């Protein structure tokens, strides 16, 4: 299992809509997340900085392939099309990233 942490900005005028959407995530999107070996997925919001932190655990053996499978899914693409305009990606993210990856510096069970 690999723990993943990601960060992304959110446009302040869209916070309420983002919360509403995520209070009722489409079942097909939740199924695709599970199908791509992602578990224990949480998104946290930090205001007033308007930063979102995502945490999940990847239980597969090929994250790149599972990410590509998720990205190819039409329902996931539709979900992203609704959510991406609400978000504000960090200028410092790596090429090809939307959510910026973070380094795990501490963990304890």
């Amino acid at each position: 299992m690999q723990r993943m942490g990601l960060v992304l900005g959110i446009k302040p005028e869209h916070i309420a809509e983002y919360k509403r959407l995520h209070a009722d995530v489409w079942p097909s999107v939740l199924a695709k997340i599970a199908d791509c070996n992602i578990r224990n997925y949480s998104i946290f919001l930090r205001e007033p900085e308007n930063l979102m932190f995502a945490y999940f655990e990847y239980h597969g053996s090929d994250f790149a392939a599972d990410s590509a499978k998720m990205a190819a899914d039409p329902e996931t693409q539709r979900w992203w099309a609704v959510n991406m305009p609400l978000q504000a990606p960090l200028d410092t993210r790596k090429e090809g990233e939307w959510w910026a990856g973070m380094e795990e510096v501490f963990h304890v069970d």
Side-chain angles (χ1 to χ4, degrees):
M1 184 272 292
Q2 180 181 1
R3 288 179 296 278
M4 307 288 283
L6 306 165
V7 65
L8 176 73
I10 185 164
K11 298 171 186 173
E13 65 273 19
H14 296 303
I15 290 172
E17 176 68 4
Y18 195 87
K19 287 180 178 182
R20 186 191 67 74
L21 287 165
H22 284 78
D24 191 23
V25 178
W26 304 343
S28 58
V29 171
L30 296 175
K32 185 52 65 177
I33 288 170
D35 182 46
C36 291
N37 299 302
I38 293 172
R39 299 187 191 129
N40 200 23
Y41 193 164
S42 298
I43 299 175
F44 299 87
L45 171 63
R46 170 66 186 180
E47 293 181 273
E49 293 87 354
N50 302 324
L51 293 174
M52 293 188 297
F53 167 72
Y55 169 83
F56 60 85
E57 296 168 354
Y58 177 67
H59 289 262
S61 59
D62 189 342
F63 185 69
D66 281 330
S67 295
K69 179 169 65 172
M70 182 177 292
D73 177 59
E75 278 296 286
T76 300
Q77 291 174 9
R78 198 166 67 88
W79 174 255
W80 288 347
V82 170
N83 281 275
M84 289 174 88
L86 312 179
Q87 302 167 345
L90 303 183
D91 293 336
T92 55
R93 70 192 187 276
K94 293 179 184 174
E95 186 175 334
E97 287 184 331
W98 186 257
W99 286 78
M102 297 188 304
E103 176 186 3
E104 180 180 351
V105 296
F106 177 77
H107 173 79
V108 65
D109 283 324

